[in-house]
Amino acid sequence: MKSTAAKNIKPPKHRPFVETIYVLASKLEGVPAGKYYAVFKKREKEFIFNEKAEQVLLDGAMFQWEVRDQTVMVVRAISSHLDSVKQGNIYRVFDDVANDERYIVDENHDKVLFDENIFKWELL
C-alpha cells in the first residue's frame, strides 16, 4: 500500500544538475584532466563550469570524460586499511543507486566501498 504523502510529491520542473563527470583528457586550458565536474543542463545543452567559472559546453572533440554517479558528500580520510586510500586525502563519495551502496574512487582509480571497516573519515 502506497502512502498518500508519496502521491503528493511532485518532481521538480527544472533540474539543472544532470550528473558528475571525470575528465580523462582535455585540450582546454581551464578544464584539466583528472578533475571532477558537475554537469548542468540549460535549454537542452549540457555544460560544465571550468576553473574560471565559465560555462564550457560538453564537447567530445575538446575533452574526454567518464560519467560518474552523483556525488553526495566530500570526506577526508583519517585512517585506512588500504594503501590506495591515503590518510589526509580528500575523496568524493558517490551514490550508486543501482547497487544501493556508496563508494569512493581511490588513488588507483578503483571503486572502494564507503565503509568504516575499510577506512575512517571526517565529513567536510
Side-chain angles (χ1 to χ4, degrees):
M1 182 171 160
K2 291 189 177 182
S3 159
T4 56
K7 291 179 184 177
N8 294 331
I9 297 174
K10 295 180 181 177
K13 291 181 181 180
H14 178 64
R15 183 176 172 232
F17 175 72
V18 178
E19 59 198 14
T20 301
I21 61 169
Y22 178 75
V23 175
L24 299 169
S26 175
K27 296 178 184 176
L28 300 175
E29 185 177 318
V31 183
K35 300 265 184 171
Y36 292 94
Y37 294 91
V39 177
F40 297 89
K41 191 171 190 175
K42 186 177 182 182
R43 296 188 192 114
E44 301 304 316
K45 293 185 180 184
E46 293 181 342
F47 63 92
I48 62 171
F49 288 103
N50 68 8
E51 292 182 333
K52 297 177 183 176
E54 301 167 329
Q55 288 185 11
V56 175
L57 287 176
L58 282 183
D59 181 1
M62 297 308 289
F63 54 96
Q64 297 173 354
W65 66 88
E66 289 180 343
V67 174
R68 297 287 167 98
D69 293 313
Q70 182 178 359
T71 302
V72 291
M73 65 182 109
V74 178
V75 297
R76 177 180 294 125
I78 296 172
S79 64
S80 173
H81 295 289
L82 298 175
D83 292 336
S84 61
V85 178
K86 304 289 184 193
Q87 180 180 347
N89 283 7
I90 296 172
Y91 298 94
R92 292 173 181 266
V93 179
F94 298 98
D95 193 18
D96 183 353
V97 177
N99 295 315
D100 193 29
E101 63 186 19
R102 290 187 173 170
Y103 66 91
I104 65 166
V105 177
D106 68 6
E107 303 303 312
N108 298 331
H109 300 285
D110 295 323
K111 289 182 179 181
V112 174
L113 192 62
F114 184 64
D115 187 342
E116 285 190 336
N117 293 322
I118 299 172
F119 70 100
K120 305 279 189 232
W121 66 84
E122 68 178 346
L123 187 63
L124 297 180

